[in-house]
Amino acid sequence: MTALKNWDGESMEKIKTSVIIPAAGQGTRMNAPINKQYLTLRGKPILSYTLDVFERCSLIDEIILVINKNEFKICRQQVLNPHSYSKIKLVEGGSTRQKSVYEGLKKVSPQTDIVLVHDGARPLIKEDIIVQSIYETIQHKATIVAVPAKNTIKVVEKDGFVEYTPNRDFLFEIQTPQTFTYDLLLDAHEKAIQEDVEGTDDAFLVERMCVPVKIVRGHYNNIKITTPEDLIIAESLIDLFSGEH
């Protein structure tokens, strides 16, 4: 177990922390012949960047990597074997992201207290955000990383006309990790299964249980790689912050 310390350096209770990294999606918008997680940035697979951050974070005890059942070989060859990862447990994913996260939840250590869920295709997450997410979750039970919306957002009717413009001061772009106490997230997923609900993210499932979710301020460079343009942006950010990755 990891001894978590508060900002004054005083020892808090020992906790067990796991991160679930869903990486089973095909990423059809990338128009690539392979899963986008295995595309490279400066010669290194996207997924490797993501795993590296959690592997070196001392507050993370285990990494549950959820991948497509047909990609165990490529994952081992291109991502796991070239590195000395010690925390990773491979798990077969489901047909949707939500189902993959649930499969991961079923495989975490029985002693797990805190669970983070982080997109495999967000390779530029920073360790300070991981630490802050864990710290805030100990206090609030549910947190999500987010950044204030930069652009004006319009709510549009089905016929294409603007219905109204919400106040941008209250709008945030949601990222990952999303972090919860283990029992809370498991209950939220099982409730969603029972009621046949598919959520856009894990926080949505927790919100349905009337549990408040706290925002942890993230970084704008914590992008999710979805399209070919994102690869160019990510490589530029890696060059800019080369000392951190």
Side-chain angles (χ1 to χ4, degrees):
M1 292 190 178
T2 301
L4 188 66
K5 296 180 180 297
N6 65 16
W7 304 140
D8 297 323
E10 297 175 357
S11 181
M12 297 178 67
E13 64 177 325
K14 290 184 176 181
I15 62 167
K16 182 82 172 179
T17 303
S18 301
V19 57
I20 298 171
I21 299 181
Q26 293 304 304
T28 54
R29 282 177 287 181
M30 186 60 72
N31 296 319
I34 59 174
N35 186 333
K36 64 182 177 181
Q37 322 281 349
Y38 306 108
L39 296 176
T40 60
L41 297 171
R42 294 291 182 255
K44 180 176 173 180
I46 291 170
L47 186 55
S48 295
Y49 284 94
T50 306
L51 295 175
D52 286 351
V53 183
F54 289 95
E55 175 74 24
R56 68 173 174 256
C57 180
S58 63
L59 298 187
I60 298 297
D61 294 289
E62 69 175 354
I63 300 169
I64 309 298
L65 178 57
V66 188
I67 64 174
N68 188 292
K69 64 180 180 180
N70 298 319
E71 295 176 346
F72 275 66
K73 182 177 180 180
I74 188 174
C75 183
R76 288 194 176 97
Q77 288 180 340
Q78 297 191 16
V79 177
L80 302 187
N81 292 346
H83 299 85
S84 300
Y85 296 121
S86 62
K87 301 178 181 179
I88 292 178
K89 182 189 298 181
L90 277 181
V91 173
E92 182 180 320
S95 58
T96 65
R97 183 187 187 278
Q98 184 170 312
K99 290 178 180 177
S100 289
V101 172
Y102 183 63
E103 290 302 315
L105 277 170
K106 293 190 292 184
K107 297 297 174 64
V108 300
S109 167
Q111 292 79 37
T112 296
D113 301 298
I114 301 290
V115 176
L116 301 87
V117 181
H118 184 73
D119 299 322
R122 286 190 191 270
L124 303 182
I125 180 63
K126 293 186 176 181
E127 189 172 346
D128 66 317
I129 295 301
I130 297 171
V131 172
Q132 183 72 24
S133 296
I134 295 170
Y135 179 77
E136 295 284 353
T137 302
I138 290 172
Q139 299 181 77
H140 303 290
K141 296 186 178 181
T143 67
I144 54 176
V145 173
V147 291
K150 291 182 177 181
N151 299 310
T152 297
I153 305 297
K154 303 285 186 180
V155 176
V156 180
E157 298 176 339
K158 291 182 179 180
D159 58 6
F161 289 93
V162 172
E163 185 174 352
Y164 70 96
T165 304
N167 186 338
R168 192 171 64 189
D169 291 342
F170 301 105
L171 297 178
F172 282 74
E173 298 175 17
I174 305 307
Q175 303 176 344
T176 63
Q178 299 190 354
T179 310
F180 313 90
T181 57
Y182 171 76
D183 290 342
L184 173 60
L185 186 57
L186 183 63
D187 288 347
H189 270 266
E190 291 184 339
K191 181 178 175 66
I193 292 170
Q194 293 167 4
E195 299 176 0
D196 195 26
V197 171
E198 191 76 22
T200 53
D201 66 356
D202 295 282
F204 173 78
L205 304 183
V206 171
E207 291 161 24
R208 293 182 66 247
M209 300 178 68
C210 299
V211 175
V213 179
K214 181 76 161 38
I215 291 291
V216 172
R217 291 292 184 100
H219 298 287
Y220 286 102
N221 59 341
N222 182 25
I223 65 171
K224 184 176 182 180
I225 296 179
T226 304
T227 66
E229 293 80 8
D230 295 330
L231 290 170
I232 298 171
I233 295 171
E235 288 193 331
S236 297
L237 289 169
I238 287 169
D239 291 343
L240 185 62
F241 299 104
S242 58
E244 300 180 20
H245 289 87

